[in-house]
Amino acid sequence: MNEIVAIDWRGVAPLPRDEFEAAIRAVGAERYHNKHEFHKLLHGGKLNKDQVAAWALNRYCYQEAVPRKDAAFMSRVHDRELRREWIHRIHDHDGLGEEGGGIERWLVLTDALGFSRDYVTSRRGALPATKFAVEAYVRFVVEQPLVVAVASSLTELFAPSIHRERIVGMLESYDFVDDQVMAYFKRRLTQAPRDSEFALGYVLDNAKTRAEQEACVGAVRFKCDVLWAQLDALHHAYVTPGLIPPGAWRPGEANV
Amino acid sequence: MNEIVAIDWRGVAPLPRDEFEAAIRAVGAERYHNKHEFHKLLHGGKLNKDQVAAWALNRYCYQEAVPRKDAAFMSRVHDRELRREWIHRIHDHDGLGEEGGGIERWLVLTDALGFSRDYVTSRRGALPATKFAVEAYVRFVVEQPLVVAVASSLTELFAPSIHRERIVGMLESYDFVDDQVMAYFKRRLTQAPRDSEFALGYVLDNAKTRAEQEACVGAVRFKCDVLWAQLDALHHAYVTPGLIPPGAWRPGEANV
């Protein structure tokens, strides 16, 4: 699937709608991060509390990047109706008014794992590779054509099953995890399908040429890479070989 | 006030809070666009319907840029509380749920002036100088330090008086303008002061050095330039000398 030689799609007929959708979904089957070793360990209850903590601390950076990514996308959209649809994603993460939002729920998880909120939100203990990956995602939606930027959100198509696995696996396996702590993932079970349904329809409608379709499939691959790279970095630092880079959080570290 | 030679503010003590605020407000007294000849004509009832139409058509580009500007700003903000405050600006312009928002109210004005919504929202009849100016504003909030980006919104401090003048002047002077058409400005009378109060407090609190303070005052000047340049372009094209550039809307043009 990794083409070494760039293919010139000019003059090639676009895929029928169902084949285009299947090509998008095939990316998930091939490389969504539920296939990563670290996720298997996480869901299977094979990690210790420090390793789960490292995951939650780093994944905060991703959570925190998502509403900025959505705002960056909106900053390019001249179609008011599209902005009015998209802004719900920011509400879901940042909350709106009384509703605290997904990031607040994520901080309940990092609370339970023993981190102060200042330490988590400062991102200073996160792995540099985590921050590079999530900022690459923010840049992607700034730089790519709009339909390709929308396509990069389509990993949400694959999210509900991972969230269900995670809720069950983590509640069963870890005594430091309870329903309250898993609230983030429970909420995403309803939010992600609504968002991904809209985004999928948008991509299927608006990627007109084969080249645009391929760029959209490539965007889903890119986004899987963003997710996968975060788990690679976690696995390397906190599981095998367990080499934590300078400046990143070390289990037992004071003042976190 | 235009310094030819850049001043090195390093080592210079910051202005006391009240003097810093006074320096910001002084920019409005000096160069806010209520002093522009075009505005005097607009509010004084001295323009014909075509000239008011050209103004509304072009000013749409500014209205439409503002929520993208606010989203671009949010895309850079790691502080969730600041994003949660700032998102209200997008709601005000784009609307939220049942509420149509400020751009919808602006389109009521362009409806009354005889334009189709497709023509207005395509921006194809707007003056290139208008589009360049408003996009410069979007870029400014992407590229400048956050506190300077916030400061560029502070022309809102000067807006309520111009809106009040405009409501009275336009209702009195033009038979194609009624309360419904002026709804945008009426709403801004309450929205702008709330936003500018927050932004002013943020700037006064967060511009710590004299160099940062001067950059913030410069941002207000920049924003006044963005507004002024739009009226210069309108005046040149549709008043004196009345030279309309290629591609821009011409009174009497069909299919608009």
Side-chain angles (χ1 to χ4, degrees):
Chain A
M1 295 289 284
N2 289 300
E3 311 294 351
I4 302 299
V5 178
I7 296 173
D8 183 351
W9 295 106
R10 283 174 298 183
V12 180
L15 295 169
R17 194 177 173 97
D18 58 341
E19 288 181 32
F20 180 28
E21 179 172 343
I24 288 168
R25 293 188 182 276
V27 176
E30 182 185 272
R31 48 166 90 192
Y32 190 56
H33 64 168
N34 62 335
K35 302 189 172 303
H36 196 286
E37 181 62 21
F38 190 91
H39 260 310
K40 294 180 189 163
L41 298 172
L42 177 68
H43 297 169
K46 306 296 189 200
L47 298 180
N48 61 37
K49 185 174 176 180
D50 286 335
Q51 291 167 323
V52 176
W55 169 73
L57 178 69
N58 277 273
R59 169 94 183 186
Y60 169 81
C61 297
Y62 176 70
Q63 303 303 133
E64 188 269 349
V66 168
R68 290 187 292 110
K69 179 273 295 184
D70 289 319
F73 174 75
M74 287 177 61
S75 77
R76 301 178 58 209
V77 174
H78 290 279
D79 173 351
R80 183 161 46 111
E81 285 310 314
L82 180 54
R83 288 199 306 269
R84 282 166 55 88
E85 166 64 35
W86 209 265
I87 202 167
H88 294 299
R89 293 168 175 259
I90 302 183
H91 299 154
D92 287 347
H93 283 84
D94 279 348
L96 181 65
E98 296 293 300
E99 162 60 34
I103 295 174
E104 176 63 29
R105 286 187 285 276
W106 196 268
L107 291 168
V108 170
L109 174 61
T110 56
D111 290 346
L113 290 160
F115 293 115
S116 73
R117 295 202 167 191
D118 277 354
Y119 183 73
V120 175
T121 59
S122 77
R123 293 165 294 126
R124 69 177 187 272
L127 296 163
T130 302
K131 292 183 272 194
F132 299 155
V134 304
E135 296 308 324
Y137 186 27
V138 179
R139 293 306 308 163
F140 187 89
V141 304
V142 170
E143 292 164 0
Q144 294 295 316
L146 284 188
V147 68
V148 179
V150 171
S152 68
S153 73
L154 288 176
T155 49
E156 283 166 348
L157 291 168
F158 322 130
S161 65
I162 203 175
H163 287 162
R164 264 188 294 269
E165 281 172 35
R166 195 173 286 160
I167 292 165
V168 173
M170 289 184 69
L171 283 173
E172 274 181 5
S173 307
Y174 302 118
D175 58 10
F176 48 88
V177 166
D178 61 17
D179 277 339
Q180 168 89 350
V181 163
M182 295 309 284
Y184 173 82
F185 300 103
K186 292 200 171 152
R187 186 61 167 264
R188 292 303 294 165
L189 285 176
T190 53
Q191 288 172 339
R194 184 198 65 195
D195 290 346
S196 63
E197 190 179 342
F198 173 83
L200 179 62
Y202 183 91
V203 168
L204 296 178
D205 289 342
N206 288 281
K208 304 281 193 197
T209 66
R210 181 64 184 271
E212 287 170 335
Q213 291 177 332
E214 293 293 334
C216 289
V217 174
V220 185
R221 243 181 251 135
F222 162 82
K223 174 65 174 303
C224 284
D225 291 346
V226 166
L227 297 168
W228 195 275
Q230 293 175 64
L231 296 187
D232 276 352
L234 276 167
H235 195 266
H236 184 266
Y238 297 105
V239 183
T240 306
L243 296 174
I244 300 170
W249 175 66
R250 309 186 83 83
E253 185 177 337
N255 302 316
V256 299
Chain B
M1 295 292 282
N2 289 299
E3 311 294 352
I4 303 298
V5 178
I7 296 173
D8 184 352
W9 295 106
R10 285 175 298 184
V12 180
L15 294 169
R17 192 176 175 97
D18 59 339
E19 288 181 31
F20 180 27
E21 179 173 341
I24 289 168
R25 292 188 183 275
V27 176
E30 183 185 273
R31 50 165 88 190
Y32 190 56
H33 63 167
N34 64 334
K35 300 188 174 304
H36 195 286
E37 181 63 20
F38 190 93
H39 260 311
K40 291 179 191 165
L41 297 172
L42 178 68
H43 297 169
K46 307 296 189 199
L47 298 180
N48 60 39
K49 186 173 176 182
D50 286 336
Q51 292 168 323
V52 176
W55 168 74
L57 178 70
N58 277 272
R59 170 96 183 185
Y60 170 82
C61 296
Y62 175 71
Q63 302 305 133
E64 189 268 352
V66 168
R68 291 187 292 111
K69 179 272 296 184
D70 289 318
F73 174 75
M74 287 177 60
S75 76
R76 303 177 58 209
V77 173
H78 290 279
D79 173 352
R80 183 163 45 112
E81 286 309 315
L82 179 55
R83 287 199 306 268
R84 283 166 54 88
E85 167 63 34
W86 209 265
I87 202 168
H88 294 299
R89 292 168 176 259
I90 301 182
H91 300 154
D92 287 347
H93 282 84
D94 278 347
L96 181 66
E98 296 294 300
E99 162 59 34
I103 294 173
E104 176 62 29
R105 285 187 287 275
W106 195 269
L107 291 169
V108 171
L109 173 61
T110 55
D111 290 346
L113 290 160
F115 294 114
S116 73
R117 294 202 168 191
D118 278 354
Y119 183 73
V120 175
T121 60
S122 77
R123 292 165 294 127
R124 69 178 187 272
L127 295 163
T130 301
K131 292 183 270 194
F132 299 156
V134 304
E135 296 308 323
Y137 185 27
V138 178
R139 294 307 308 163
F140 187 90
V141 305
V142 170
E143 292 165 0
Q144 293 295 316
L146 285 187
V147 68
V148 179
V150 171
S152 68
S153 73
L154 288 177
T155 48
E156 283 166 346
L157 290 169
F158 322 130
S161 65
I162 204 175
H163 287 162
R164 262 188 295 270
E165 281 172 33
R166 194 173 287 162
I167 293 166
V168 172
M170 289 183 69
L171 284 173
E172 276 182 5
S173 306
Y174 301 118
D175 59 10
F176 48 88
V177 166
D178 61 16
D179 277 341
Q180 168 89 350
V181 164
M182 295 309 285
Y184 173 82
F185 300 103
K186 291 197 171 153
R187 187 61 168 265
R188 292 303 295 165
L189 287 176
T190 54
Q191 288 172 339
R194 184 198 65 197
D195 290 346
S196 63
E197 191 179 342
F198 173 83
L200 179 63
Y202 183 91
V203 169
L204 296 178
D205 289 344
N206 289 283
K208 303 283 193 196
T209 66
R210 180 63 184 270
E212 287 169 336
Q213 291 176 331
E214 293 293 334
C216 288
V217 174
V220 184
R221 242 181 251 135
F222 162 82
K223 174 66 173 303
C224 284
D225 292 346
V226 167
L227 297 169
W228 195 275
Q230 293 176 65
L231 296 188
D232 276 352
L234 277 168
H235 195 266
H236 184 266
Y238 296 103
V239 182
T240 306
L243 296 175
I244 300 170
W249 175 68
R250 309 186 82 83
E253 185 176 338
N255 302 316
V256 300

